[in-house]
């Protein structure tokens, strides 16, 4: 079959995603110091995005090299599970940031570690189940009329996935609003103690709120168009609409390592050690707390 330019772009996107996130996974696995709950969550996100990138590459290969409905089902299920794990990991990171501010005094405890591992186990378990649904029979291979805009997923399947995304997005929106309230309240308390809000505190507060808005805005701009189109779209519509909304969704996995990993100075220091074999002492790094945004 002739190459579809959209499929090529998805494959290129998957390659970039896989390379970026493979580096993050390697850094976290390589550095024993990166074992805090925050980096466990970042590692989970990077692993999910790495698998999603590999899934996009495999989908391209199997679509043009090994044309098989069974392989197509496996690939789609793999992609659904990977992207679901990525979105779920983002939710877990949001919950962790909220807890690190709301329960700052008890955050560094065994209970927090247990909570993080429980959240991740639940997120990956649910994601795996969602990925297995089309493989176990919830597909439209036998009934073409039930197909959605994402073949071979059924309309009811993509509706479930979209509803799950909307729920996660609303939870993240609520938590980020609460985080903004906590940050502003802390700034106000500092202002009362010092009788005025100093310029550095004002700049830090404004920067923190702006960063939260960028994080949530990037996530929503990437996934909302595709989630909405999955609900309102019809399989008879031109496939270009599906590609045009799916491609930006993959960009979220490309942006995640930049937002959650490469900006962190502990990971930057580990990159120096990994690639240079030595760390220049004259370069100072400030260890960020889990609540840093």
């Amino acid at each position: 079959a002739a190459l579809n330019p959209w499929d090529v772009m998805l494959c290129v996107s998957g390659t970039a995603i896989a390379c970026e996130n493979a580096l993050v996974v390697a850094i976290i696995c390589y550095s024993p110091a990166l074992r805090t709950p925050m980096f466990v969550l970042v590692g989970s996100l990077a692993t999910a995005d790495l698998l999603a990138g590999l899934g996009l590459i495999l989908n391209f290969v199997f679509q043009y090299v090994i044309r098989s409905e069974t392989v197509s089902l496996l690939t789609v299920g793999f992609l659904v599970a990977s992207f679901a794990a990525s979105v779920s990991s983002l939710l877990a990171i949001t919950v962790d940031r909220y807890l690190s501010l709301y329960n700052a005094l008890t955050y560094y405890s065994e209970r927090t570690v247990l909570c993080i591992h429980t959240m991740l186990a639940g997120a990956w378990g649910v994601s795996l189940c969602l990925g297995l649904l089309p493989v176990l029979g919830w597909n439209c291979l036998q009934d073409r009329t039930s197909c959605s805009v994402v073949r071979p997923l059924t309309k009811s399947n993509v509706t479930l996935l979209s509803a799950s995304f909307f729920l996660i997005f609303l939870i993240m929106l609520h938590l980020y609003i609460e985080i903004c309230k906590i940050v502003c309240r802390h700034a106000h308390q500092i202002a009362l103690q010092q009788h005025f809000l100093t310029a550095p505190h004002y700049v830090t507060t404004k920067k923190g709120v702006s960063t939260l808005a960028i994080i949530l805005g990037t996530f929503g701009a990437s996934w909302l168009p595709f989630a909405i189109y999955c609900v309102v779209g019809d399989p008879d519509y031109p496939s270009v609409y599906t590609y045009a909304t799916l491609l930006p969704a993959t960009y979220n996995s490309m942006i995640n390592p930049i937002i959650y990993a490469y900006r962190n100075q502990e990971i930057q220091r580990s990159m120096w050690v990994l690639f240079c074999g030595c760390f220049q002492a004259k370069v100072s790094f400030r260890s960020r707390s889990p609540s840093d945004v």
Side-chain angles (χ1 to χ4, degrees):
L3 283 178
N4 186 333
W6 288 99
D7 289 329
V8 175
M9 286 190 287
L10 284 175
C11 183
V12 172
S13 177
T15 304
I17 291 169
C19 293
E20 279 185 291
N21 289 282
L23 178 58
V24 176
V25 173
I27 291 172
I28 293 178
C29 293
Y30 172 82
S31 306
L34 304 181
R35 296 293 185 268
T36 63
M38 176 182 66
F39 290 114
V40 171
L41 292 170
V42 173
S44 172
L45 175 62
T47 301
D49 287 333
L50 169 61
L51 294 176
L54 293 176
L56 290 172
I57 298 172
L58 291 175
N59 182 65
F60 178 84
V61 172
F62 291 139
Q63 186 173 354
Y64 290 97
V65 179
I66 306 174
R67 302 181 64 87
S68 168
E69 290 184 344
T70 302
V71 173
S72 175
L73 273 179
L74 292 174
T75 305
V76 170
F78 185 79
L79 283 171
V80 169
S82 301
F83 280 119
S86 175
V87 173
S88 300
S89 295
L90 287 174
L91 175 61
I93 290 176
T94 306
V95 173
D96 175 70
R97 285 181 167 176
Y98 173 75
L99 293 177
S100 68
L101 290 172
Y102 185 76
N103 297 320
L105 297 179
T106 60
Y107 178 80
Y108 294 98
S109 65
E110 294 296 329
R111 184 178 179 180
T112 300
V113 176
L114 178 61
C115 177
I116 295 300
H117 289 138
T118 302
M119 279 197 303
L120 289 181
W124 280 91
V126 172
S127 300
L128 180 61
C129 291
L130 291 175
L132 286 175
L133 288 178
V135 179
L136 296 178
W138 202 0
N139 57 70
C140 63
L141 294 181
Q142 304 300 326
D143 182 14
R144 299 291 181 177
T145 59
S146 64
C147 282
S148 66
V149 294
V150 183
R151 296 180 178 86
L153 300 181
T154 64
K155 296 177 182 178
S156 55
N157 195 341
V158 297
T159 300
L160 171 64
L161 295 174
S162 297
S164 300
F165 167 79
F166 292 138
L167 177 61
I168 289 176
F169 182 76
L170 290 176
I171 294 175
M172 289 179 62
L173 176 62
H174 172 71
L175 289 176
Y176 274 129
I177 290 175
E178 292 300 318
I179 290 174
C180 288
K181 290 181 180 179
I182 294 174
V183 171
C184 293
R185 185 163 61 247
H186 287 175
H188 180 67
Q189 291 173 350
I190 294 174
L192 291 178
Q193 293 175 357
Q194 300 182 353
H195 304 294
F196 63 94
L197 185 62
T198 61
H201 290 146
Y202 173 77
V203 172
T204 301
T205 303
K206 183 179 179 181
K207 181 180 179 182
V209 173
S210 300
T211 303
L212 292 175
I214 292 173
I215 291 173
L216 191 63
T218 301
F219 176 64
S222 299
W223 277 106
L224 277 175
F226 181 67
I228 294 173
Y229 182 68
C230 284
V231 176
V232 302
D234 189 273
D236 294 330
Y237 292 169
S239 61
V240 64
Y241 296 158
T242 302
Y243 283 113
T245 53
L246 175 60
L247 188 62
T250 66
Y251 291 160
N252 186 68
S253 296
M254 196 182 302
I255 297 173
N256 283 338
I258 299 175
I259 295 178
Y260 295 98
Y262 295 134
R263 290 176 61 249
N264 186 280
Q265 295 188 0
E266 291 293 337
I267 290 183
Q268 292 175 8
R269 177 167 56 185
S270 297
M271 289 178 64
W272 275 92
V273 175
L274 181 63
F275 289 112
C276 301
C278 60
F279 177 70
Q280 297 179 2
K282 65 180 181 180
V283 182
S284 61
F285 290 90
R286 180 180 62 88
S287 179
R288 295 190 175 192
S289 67
S291 59
D292 282 352
V293 295

